[in-house]
Amino acid sequence: MSEPRWLTEGAPHVWRPYCQMKTARPPLPVVATRGSRLILEDGRELVDGLASWWTACHGYNHPHIADALRAQIEAMPHVMFGGLAHEPAYRLAQRLAGLLPGDLDHVFFAESGSVAVEIAMKMALQYQLNRGVSGRTRFLAFRGGYHGDTLATMTVCDPEEGMHSLFAGVMPAQVIADLPRDAASEAALDAVLAARGSEIAAMLVEPLIQGAGGMLPHPPEVLRTLRRLADKHGVLLVFDEIFTGFGRTGSLFAMQAAGVEPDIVTLSKALTGGTLPLSAAVARRHVFEAFWSDDPGAALMHGPTYMANPLACAAANASLDLFEDGAWARDVARVSAALAEGLEPCRQGAGVVDVRTLGAIGVVEFDAPVAVSDLCARFAERGAWIRPMGKVVYLTPAFTTPDADLALLTHAVRQVVGVD
Ligand SMILES: *Cc1c(COP(=O)(O)O)cnc(C)c1O
């Protein structure tokens, strides 16, 4: 395939993500998307096994979202959110509060996942100060976790994770613990909190499954244990549902599978159905009330320039419309069954240590990190867009991916794993 001119001419100027550019293969030129597929410059179509980093949950170019975006761009693409209000954001906040359990009712908008996590961290720090509690300046997070790439969020990611270990010492060290999966690890976490709890403002966890850290699931009991320990030690509990939110694990929010409410939840990725960047940190009433005061100094001093962008909020409202009829739950169950069945034979593959499925997430885990760039190319030859991560080859397709395209994806994985 000859490269299009825009790629050859622009390539010296584009700094690519997560990539040693000197040795990596060139990126694939995409010119359009349709349903579950990416359409390449040379006309080839790839079935997207990742829904573009877990965002495009309804598939690409959904007409209902596209119509909402067209209407909104004509009316008002953007206005600042300081001192101004608009219907797309106010409606969205009300709808999110209605969908989230309990009194998770206070929505602070931002543009990216990492920034929403930073805001949740800042809320937790100031929540403690506003209540007159000083010294709680640190966070507790878990091995295997991932919460973003910005400097503060890196400190609450898995410390061994290659992406971030380089910067050890740059930022204050946080307390990193093992998830309380059994009596021994629960006692260990309880002991850490007894010893250091008075330094800790909040603990952060991705509920039900740690995503970018390796697609590592845990049972709902873990979240109930965290809630109990957070309350015991006066630490806020933050659920980072940026990956799990909006149906990916089989319930609309992962927290619902455990019946546990965090004090703050972060949302992004599938919030706009994969069309525009938008995120939110949503707080419970007691968190919000710690900022509600006659004292201007008690306010949350934060406000990203593009927060609550009307286009992004219109897309999110349209995406929520699509969740309303409940068809997504049947689709997630259908995708889940297809991934489980299609990936099962991979257990026999060389170096494979586990095959697992949770909701619309299918995972083949190897005993060592895989060659990402080479595997991407081999998947693409088979008509699939799959980009492995660390030791895992995983599939997180759009919920609407047709059965034939799901079969193509799992077939490609079986072939590359060498069991088909
Ligand atoms: C992707 C992700 C983030 C970071 O979101 P960005 O939009 O890439 O900044 C944070 N937390 C979790 C759980 C994620 O999956």
Side-chain angles (χ1 to χ4, degrees):
M1 177 178 72
S2 73
E3 273 191 0
R5 266 184 68 182
W6 58 262
L7 180 55
T8 316
E9 291 175 5
H13 307 290
V14 172
W15 200 323
R16 297 167 60 196
Y18 301 127
C19 177
Q20 177 41 269
M21 292 176 58
K22 186 170 180 192
T23 53
R25 288 163 202 265
L28 299 178
V30 191
V31 293
T33 51
R34 195 181 306 132
S36 54
R37 294 175 172 228
L38 308 173
I39 295 149
L40 303 187
E41 170 83 23
D42 62 2
R44 273 190 303 156
E45 292 190 13
L46 301 184
V47 176
D48 187 349
L50 311 179
S52 276
W53 274 336
W54 326 333
T55 60
C57 54
H58 311 293
Y60 293 112
N61 309 55
H62 195 290
H64 182 65
I65 301 180
D67 287 345
L69 281 172
R70 267 190 292 272
Q72 187 60 45
I73 206 166
E74 292 295 334
M76 176 172 64
H78 183 67
V79 288
M80 63 190 275
F81 210 51
L84 300 177
H86 51 80
E87 182 175 355
Y90 276 61
R91 247 189 222 301
L92 179 59
Q94 185 192 356
R95 291 176 83 178
L96 290 173
L99 290 170
L100 287 162
D103 61 351
L104 281 163
D105 284 345
H106 303 277
V107 182
F108 193 99
F109 289 111
E111 347 73 332
S112 79
S114 300
V115 171
V117 174
E118 296 245 357
I119 291 165
M121 293 168 78
K122 191 164 157 181
M123 276 177 181
L125 290 170
Q126 196 176 344
Y127 164 84
Q128 303 286 3
L129 291 171
N130 284 0
R131 289 163 63 243
V133 177
S134 59
R136 289 189 179 258
T137 56
R138 277 180 210 286
F139 297 91
L140 187 144
F142 296 94
R143 249 177 279 287
Y146 175 82
H147 299 286
D149 290 347
T150 56
L151 282 169
T153 61
M154 283 197 310
T155 69
V156 287
C157 291
D158 186 300
E160 305 300 319
E161 176 60 47
M163 278 195 281
H164 301 152
S165 54
L166 193 60
F167 301 109
V170 172
M171 295 289 285
Q174 312 294 3
V175 181
I176 305 294
D178 289 317
L179 281 171
R181 290 171 183 272
D182 53 24
S185 49
E186 178 177 341
L189 181 58
D190 194 17
V192 168
L193 286 165
R196 303 197 57 187
S198 62
E199 300 168 46
I200 295 170
M203 52 183 167
L204 295 91
V205 70
E206 299 156 87
L208 283 195
I209 183 162
Q210 295 174 308
M215 298 291 167
L216 306 164
H218 53 258
E221 291 74 51
V222 167
L223 302 173
R224 293 194 271 274
T225 302
L226 291 180
R227 181 70 273 177
R228 204 164 53 241
L229 292 178
D231 291 341
K232 178 175 170 188
H233 296 281
V235 165
L236 289 184
L237 181 59
V238 178
F239 280 179
D240 181 351
E241 293 234 23
I242 290 171
F243 171 45
T244 54
F246 305 103
R248 182 56 65 181
T249 66
S251 47
L252 192 59
F253 299 102
M255 69 178 86
Q256 291 166 311
V260 175
E261 272 171 57
D263 301 292
I264 305 173
V265 60
T266 54
L267 304 170
S268 187
K269 294 225 161 82
L271 174 57
T272 61
T275 54
L276 283 163
L278 182 69
S279 65
V282 186
R284 283 173 65 180
R285 188 173 310 130
H286 61 277
V287 175
F288 179 75
E289 282 176 352
F291 293 78
W292 181 269
S293 164
D294 293 320
D295 173 10
L300 182 66
M301 298 307 279
H302 207 94
T305 306
Y306 277 96
M307 77 180 286
N309 170 259
L311 273 173
C313 291
N317 278 312
S319 176
L320 292 186
D321 295 343
L322 297 176
F323 276 101
E324 255 164 21
D325 70 1
W328 66 270
R330 290 188 295 281
D331 269 329
V332 170
R334 175 181 64 84
V335 171
S336 194
L339 297 183
E341 193 191 331
L343 296 178
E344 184 58 29
C346 294
R347 264 183 223 289
Q348 311 308 323
V352 173
V353 294
D354 192 31
V355 176
R356 54 182 177 265
T357 314
L358 174 68
I361 308 163
V363 183
V364 179
E365 181 171 335
F366 291 82
D367 55 8
V370 300
V372 174
S373 189
D374 291 348
L375 285 187
C376 280
R378 292 172 64 196
F379 287 125
E381 281 164 19
R382 290 163 176 82
W385 174 239
I386 302 171
R387 186 175 152 95
M389 193 173 63
K391 294 180 189 174
V392 299
V393 170
Y394 72 93
L395 297 173
T396 50
F399 306 159
T400 51
T401 308
D403 291 340
D405 282 1
L406 293 171
L408 184 148
L409 289 171
T410 55
H411 185 228
V413 175
R414 290 197 305 273
Q415 285 196 316
V416 167
V417 170
V419 295
D420 209 330

